[in-house]
């Protein structure tokens, strides 16, 4: 349940460290974003001397949330933190490595590149 | 579909039950119900919580080493479906389960055997003290079939001389 002002960790090596959600993409008054939703975020903390800078507005896709993800087969998955992966307009990740286990839902939402880079798919 | 083991209490988690928690180092914890999940969040060590299988195995309450446990290893390679194999596996599961549970209950029975004499002694003592709860004292005096047989001790004759009045 990510909403504007939520701070998220960055789960890839795209040189950003922490993002703050500004907007949930989807509908005009959409309140919350879950795993697999795209958000517009501002970089709050970045690795110094890299192309991505602090207070730069970027899009990201949410990889993990502390709020449980419920599946149709009754499986409930909860992560330890809220994390996102920085993407560009097409949905391709900006980084080259993904950290952490990724939920299978991202494959259905056409984030295949992210799923293929992930070390483990749940 | 896979039957997991609850990380806290070691019971099987069937599909549709429980929660999976993914830690930041990508270690997955399965929980069978919110009781185990909440205990985990409280950072309790299952080896110290009395009702978990981990505690029971650690303290020798339950059977730890047995050949029947070898059958229940985690297998990551999916087997090609073979009807005969599936049929035989189902039969074997049933039989192995029965053998394992019989051996486990034998283990517990043997463990409790040593305390039997002590428990009987305590029960005997409790009956003696609390016989008035079982049968009214008056009824007991008339029909002493409920009492435990009292041990008769012969009192020596020397004691009766104390009751005589002092000679002036």
């Amino acid at each position: 349940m990510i909403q504007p002002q939520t701070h998220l960790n960055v789960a890839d090596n795209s040189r950003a460290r922490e993002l703050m959600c500004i907007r949930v993409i989807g509908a005009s008054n959409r309140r919350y974003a879950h795993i697999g939703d795209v958000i517009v975020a501002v970089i709050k903390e970045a690795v110094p001397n890299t192309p991505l800078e602090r207070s730069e507005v970027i899009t990201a896709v949410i990889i993990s949330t502390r709020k449980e993800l419920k599946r149709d087969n009754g499986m409930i998955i909860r992560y330890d933190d809220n994390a996102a992966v920085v993407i560009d307009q097409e949905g391709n990740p900006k980084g080259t490595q993904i950290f952490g286990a990724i939920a299978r839902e991202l494959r259905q939402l056409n984030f295949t590149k992210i799923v293929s880079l992930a070390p483990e798919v749940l | 579909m896979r039957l997991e083991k609850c990380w806290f209490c070691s019971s099987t988690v069937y599909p549709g039950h429980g929660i999976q928690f993914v830690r930041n180092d990508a270690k997955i914890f399965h929980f069978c119900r919110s009781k185990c999940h909440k205990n985990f969040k409280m950072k309790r060590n299952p080896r110290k919580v009395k009702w978990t299988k981990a505690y029971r195995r650690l303290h020798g309450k339950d059977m730890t080493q047995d050949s029947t446990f070898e059958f229940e290893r985690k297998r990551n390679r999916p087997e090609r479906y073979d009807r005969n194999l599936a049929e035989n596996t189902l039969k074997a599961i049933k039989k192995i389960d029965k053998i394992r549970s019989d051996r486990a209950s034998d283990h517990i029975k043997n463990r409790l055997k040593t305390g039997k004499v002590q428990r009987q002694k305590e029960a005997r003592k409790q009956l003696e003290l609390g016989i008035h709860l079982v049968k009214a004292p008056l009824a007991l005096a008339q029909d002493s079939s409920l009492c435990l047989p009292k041990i008769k001790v012969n009192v020596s004759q020397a004691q009766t001389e104390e009751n005589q009045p002092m000679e002036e």
Side-chain angles (χ1 to χ4, degrees):
Chain A
M1 273 170 82
I2 311 296
Q3 57 181 344
Q5 299 289 315
T6 305
H7 284 244
L8 299 132
N9 292 333
V10 175
D12 59 4
N13 62 349
S14 65
R15 303 299 188 280
R17 283 268 167 78
E18 196 173 318
L19 309 170
M20 183 178 83
C21 172
I22 295 178
R23 189 89 177 135
V24 175
I25 302 290
S28 74
N29 198 12
R30 184 152 174 192
R31 285 176 177 79
Y32 308 115
H34 298 277
I35 291 181
D37 293 337
V38 176
I39 58 165
V40 179
V42 67
I43 298 178
K44 280 295 192 183
E45 193 188 318
V47 175
N49 304 326
T50 50
L52 285 180
E53 281 184 344
R54 206 189 102 86
S55 71
E56 202 177 304
V57 175
I58 44 105
T59 44
V61 66
I62 292 175
I63 294 288
S64 61
T65 51
R66 276 224 188 89
K67 180 70 183 160
E68 307 89 31
L69 167 74
K70 286 190 186 180
R71 288 201 180 144
D72 287 340
N73 60 3
M75 204 186 282
I76 300 180
I77 299 177
R78 179 213 292 250
Y79 288 85
D80 202 10
D81 65 347
N82 303 315
V85 161
V86 180
I87 58 172
D88 60 8
Q89 286 308 111
E90 276 96 59
N92 299 322
K94 251 202 175 133
T96 50
Q97 267 183 338
I98 310 277
F99 307 121
I102 300 290
R104 214 169 289 275
E105 272 72 6
L106 288 175
R107 184 175 283 142
Q108 275 114 43
L109 294 161
N110 294 324
F111 291 107
T112 45
K113 192 106 195 298
I114 295 179
V115 174
S116 66
L117 287 171
E120 189 179 343
V121 180
L122 276 180
Chain B
M1 185 195 79
R2 172 167 270 197
L3 300 180
E4 305 284 354
K5 289 269 178 224
C6 175
W7 184 85
F8 199 80
C9 67
S10 314
S11 60
T12 42
V13 188
Y14 282 88
H17 289 260
I19 290 187
Q20 292 181 21
F21 172 65
V22 183
R23 208 165 54 180
N24 278 338
D25 58 358
K27 180 159 161 66
I28 305 170
F29 297 86
H30 303 268
F31 301 108
C32 60
R33 57 201 196 278
S34 64
K35 177 179 182 180
C36 303
H37 189 38
K38 282 177 184 160
N39 271 302
F40 173 78
K41 284 197 273 189
M42 268 193 267
K43 298 192 177 177
R44 287 203 180 146
N45 188 355
R47 283 156 174 261
K48 289 190 168 186
V49 179
K50 294 250 170 88
W51 50 270
T52 57
K53 222 38 179 173
Y55 176 96
R56 292 191 62 101
R57 288 209 186 111
L58 186 70
H59 290 76
K61 311 278 184 192
D62 274 349
M63 193 169 61
T64 40
Q65 279 177 340
D66 197 34
S67 51
T68 47
F69 292 143
E70 296 297 309
F71 293 103
E72 214 179 317
R73 248 178 304 126
K74 185 174 182 182
R75 294 164 179 87
N76 284 319
R77 245 212 200 149
E79 302 264 338
R80 186 167 293 234
Y81 179 73
D82 176 25
R83 197 200 164 108
N84 288 328
L85 179 67
E87 193 180 329
N88 291 336
T89 309
L90 284 170
K91 284 191 196 152
I93 287 174
K94 230 179 179 177
K95 193 150 197 190
I96 292 166
D97 236 17
K98 185 169 182 312
I99 294 173
R100 181 170 42 84
S101 50
D102 283 346
R103 287 188 191 172
S105 55
D106 281 343
H107 179 270
I108 293 175
K109 222 189 288 182
N110 285 334
R111 186 168 57 84
L112 295 175
K113 217 190 274 186
T114 52
K116 198 168 178 187
V117 174
Q118 177 73 11
R119 280 198 296 273
Q120 276 194 338
K121 227 195 312 186
E122 284 173 11
R124 189 172 279 255
K125 185 77 186 280
Q126 198 177 30
L127 182 61
E128 255 178 79
L129 291 176
I131 198 72
H132 58 282
L133 293 168
V134 179
K135 206 159 186 186
L138 210 62
L140 207 57
Q142 290 160 4
D143 169 33
S144 61
S145 61
L146 220 62
C147 252
L148 297 167
K150 289 214 160 62
I151 307 163
K152 290 213 166 123
V153 179
N154 285 328
V155 177
S156 58
Q157 286 297 102
Q159 281 189 351
T160 50
E161 285 177 18
E162 285 172 40
N163 289 335
Q164 286 180 0
M166 292 228 287
E167 287 175 349
E168 281 187 29

